[in-house]
Amino acid sequence: MGAPDVRMPSEREPTGHFAIRLLDEASSDSDSEVSYDYKRVQMATVLQQYAWDMSGDSSDEESCFSDSKIHQRVASLEQDMANIQQEEMEALRSSQSRVDSLQTFLMKDSMTKSRSEQVLQAIRQQHQAAYLRDQAAVQAVEQEMEMKMKAKRAEEEKKKQKEKAERQRQEEEQKRRQAAEEERLQELKKMEERRVQEQKELEEKEKEAYRLVQISEPDATAYRQRQAAVLQEYNTSLKAFCEDASMKDARRGIKKFITLSVQQISATQEQVNKKSNSLLHFLSEQHDLQRKFSLVTLASKMLSQCEVQITRLHSFAFPLGEVSVSIGRQYPEFLNVLVGMLHNECPLSIPLVFRPGPKGSKDVKYFRAMRFKVETTEASSVSVENEEEYVGRLQGYIRLYAAILQNDSPATDFGMSEAWSYVALLLNGIPSSRYSASALDAFLSIAGFKMYTRFRRQFEKLLAYVTAYFLQDLKDTNDPDANAVAARLESYIQSKVFLQPPEGRSMPVRDESSYSRA
């Protein structure tokens, strides 16, 4: 803003009036845009002019203003000016105070900003340190994970190597088993070839035997093979049933009933019929594997009576044979199983014998093949059943076999044809010995009567062959233990014991003694 113009009084306005008017304007223009300092300068200039006018030629009109009034106005004006200056000083001090406050605020703000920057810097440093720690932790975790992955891969690799080694071992084991199986099959093939060859030789001997007695009967080989096949099939099919733990109670119940039933068989027609019907009813309630297991168990219990009952009481073979045939009529496979098991327990019922090895009487394999009872003691020594006990058991099995065949039931495959074939093979298929003679003696004592009634003249020729050849060969062995059985056979033939039914064949209807006691 420029300096204000200094106004001067006009020619028509007296200088005194202009000064007073100027003072009034100065006092009234305190709020104008023109600074009071400039007004004061202007007023001082006017007063100076006025003073000049007063010292020169002044009109009468101006002389009316007294000096006192001007001094009053000047004093008033100066007072106003002092007030204004005081106000300006106060305003200046207030402005300075506000400036100081603003500077203080700015300083505080600067300090706050500095502290904020320091805090921010500290936070940044903390964040940086935390970031570095996190990075270090992540790296540690990654390293640990990497180590674990490496360990896992190493473990997996080790496991794979182990599995590979196990597979190789299994493959090698499989190859060894296959090689062993092939070797076994080759051995079985050779054995089968030998068996076929032996069978052919046996057939030739059977044919020779038939020519000697001038009769011709079918070969007995077929039914023996059929019996063995049925027994093998039963044993194979029952393996899983016998090992099934859930069927343990069923097996126990079957064994208990059959054992009790066989033990209750006695030599009366009433008891034989009763036990036969009871067993048949029990078997009819069984199904599939349980029935097969029942038939095998019954055959086993029947054979156990050969050592327990028939060895002590020879006539007990008839009721056991009668019950066996009754079961066989309803279940034909039973007799195949029974006879197959009998052949396993007594090779002479086939007939079949073995030659002892180089050790002679001490050959354990020979005794086991002939079905002697052989036991190994704790001192690793071998105890063999004596011959008297062995012959007694042998004759018990043969008597049961003869009792089954002499029944000659048309509903079964076991009858007089098989009986004739057995005697012919026994006479011509194996050497004469105490064992073969004991088997022949036991068989004829049970089935001789029925063979005579069936074959008559041919049976007499058969007995003549026994006297002329078999007994003569037996005597030539010079075995003192064979003298007793040779004497019994000679007495049987010479006395024609076969003309009368053997003791126990005709069973009474009931046990009269039990009724009389009642």
Side-chain angles (χ1 to χ4, degrees), residues 5 16 45-46 69 111-112 122-123 145 173 210 233 264 281 291 320 325-326 351 364 381 389 396 406 414 455 470:
D5 296 335
T45 304
V46 172
K69 189 174 182 178
M111 293 174 64
T112 303
I123 293 174
M145 291 297 295
E173 182 66 22
Y210 293 143
E233 188 272 333
Q264 292 176 349
H281 178 71
R291 180 179 296 169
L320 288 178
V325 172
S326 297
V364 177
S381 60
E389 294 177 354
Q406 66 88 37
F414 298 90
F455 300 109
F470 184 81

Side-chain angles (χ1 to χ4, degrees), residues 196-212:
V196 171
Q197 184 63 28
E198 292 174 357
Q199 186 65 36
K200 289 181 180 179
E201 295 176 359
L202 186 60
E203 291 174 358
E204 292 296 328
K205 290 181 180 180
E206 289 179 356
K207 291 178 182 179
E208 182 65 23
Y210 293 143
R211 285 195 293 271
L212 288 173

Side-chain angles (χ1 to χ4, degrees), residues 113-290:
K113 183 177 181 181
S114 177
R115 285 196 298 272
S116 299
E117 291 178 353
Q118 292 176 358
V119 171
L120 182 60
Q121 183 66 23
I123 293 174
R124 288 175 179 171
Q125 292 177 354
Q126 291 177 358
H127 287 177
Q128 183 69 19
Y131 175 76
L132 294 176
R133 288 196 301 272
D134 292 343
Q135 286 293 106
V138 169
Q139 290 179 358
V141 171
E142 289 179 350
Q143 291 177 356
E144 183 179 359
M145 291 297 295
E146 183 67 21
M147 292 176 63
K148 288 183 178 179
M149 290 298 295
K150 288 181 179 179
K152 185 176 180 181
R153 286 194 293 268
E155 184 67 23
E156 291 178 352
E157 185 66 23
K158 185 177 179 181
K159 184 178 180 180
K160 289 180 180 179
Q161 293 293 335
K162 186 176 180 180
E163 292 177 351
K164 183 178 180 181
E166 181 65 19
R167 285 196 300 270
Q168 291 177 352
R169 187 191 65 78
Q170 291 178 356
E171 290 175 357
E172 292 176 357
E173 182 66 22
Q174 182 67 20
K175 290 179 181 179
R176 285 196 295 270
R177 286 198 297 266
Q178 290 178 354
E181 182 67 17
E182 290 177 358
E183 184 178 354
R184 188 182 68 84
L185 292 175
Q186 291 294 331
E187 185 65 24
L188 289 176
K189 184 177 179 180
K190 293 179 182 179
M191 291 176 62
E192 181 65 19
E193 292 175 354
R194 289 196 297 270
R195 190 193 64 78
V196 171
Q197 184 63 28
E198 292 174 357
Q199 186 65 36
K200 289 181 180 179
E201 295 176 359
L202 186 60
E203 291 174 358
E204 292 296 328
K205 290 181 180 180
E206 289 179 356
K207 291 178 182 179
E208 182 65 23
Y210 293 143
R211 285 195 293 271
L212 288 173
V213 295
Q214 298 181 0
I215 62 172
S216 178
E217 292 291 336
D219 187 12
T221 303
Y223 85 85
R224 288 200 300 273
Q225 293 176 346
R226 184 171 63 253
Q227 296 153 11
V230 171
L231 182 60
Q232 179 64 31
E233 188 272 333
Y234 265 58
N235 291 333
T236 302
S237 62
L238 287 175
K239 183 178 180 181
F241 177 79
C242 294
E243 294 176 353
D244 189 355
S246 63
M247 302 302 296
K248 184 178 181 179
D249 293 339
R251 295 194 299 269
R252 185 186 295 112
I254 291 172
K255 289 180 180 179
K256 182 178 179 181
F257 177 83
I258 291 177
T259 300
L260 184 62
S261 298
V262 173
Q263 291 175 348
Q264 292 176 349
I265 296 175
S266 61
T268 63
Q269 295 180 11
E270 181 182 50
Q271 192 68 4
V272 166
N273 293 334
K274 181 179 179 181
K275 291 301 154 186
S276 297
N277 293 333
S278 176
L279 287 168
L280 286 172
H281 178 71
F282 177 78
L283 291 171
S284 67
E285 294 178 342
Q286 308 302 315
H287 301 283
D288 197 19
L289 293 179
Q290 291 186 359

Side-chain angles (χ1 to χ4, degrees), residues 318-372:
F318 289 107
L320 288 178
E322 185 68 30
V323 173
S324 298
V325 172
S326 297
I327 302 299
R329 291 192 190 101
Q330 188 70 27
Y331 301 99
E333 65 272 20
F334 169 69
L335 289 179
N336 288 320
V337 172
L338 175 61
V339 174
M341 295 175 68
L342 190 147
H343 289 341
N344 288 337
E345 295 296 327
C346 179
L348 272 167
S349 65
I350 296 176
L352 174 66
V353 294
F354 299 89
R355 296 183 184 275
K359 296 180 181 179
S361 60
K362 296 182 180 180
D363 188 357
V364 177
K365 291 183 179 180
Y366 166 74
F367 288 119
R368 284 175 176 164
M370 291 294 293
R371 296 299 187 269
F372 278 80

Side-chain angles (χ1 to χ4, degrees), residues 33-50:
E33 296 179 358
V34 180
S35 175
Y36 184 77
D37 291 335
Y38 292 106
K39 293 287 186 180
R40 187 174 56 181
V41 171
Q42 188 176 11
M43 184 187 67
T45 304
V46 172
L47 289 178
Q48 186 177 7
Q49 183 66 35
Y50 176 72

Side-chain angles (χ1 to χ4, degrees), residues 213 420 423 427 440 444 448 451-452 456-471 489 492-494 496-498:
V213 295
W420 184 270
V423 175
L427 294 175
L440 180 62
L444 292 178
M451 290 182 72
Y452 172 73
R456 294 290 181 176
R457 182 62 180 165
Q458 288 85 351
F459 183 69
E460 291 179 350
K461 289 182 179 181
L462 181 66
L463 295 181
Y465 178 84
V466 171
T467 302
Y469 297 99
F470 184 81
L471 290 178
L489 285 173
Y492 179 86
I493 296 171
Q494 292 175 3
K496 296 187 177 181
V497 178
F498 55 85

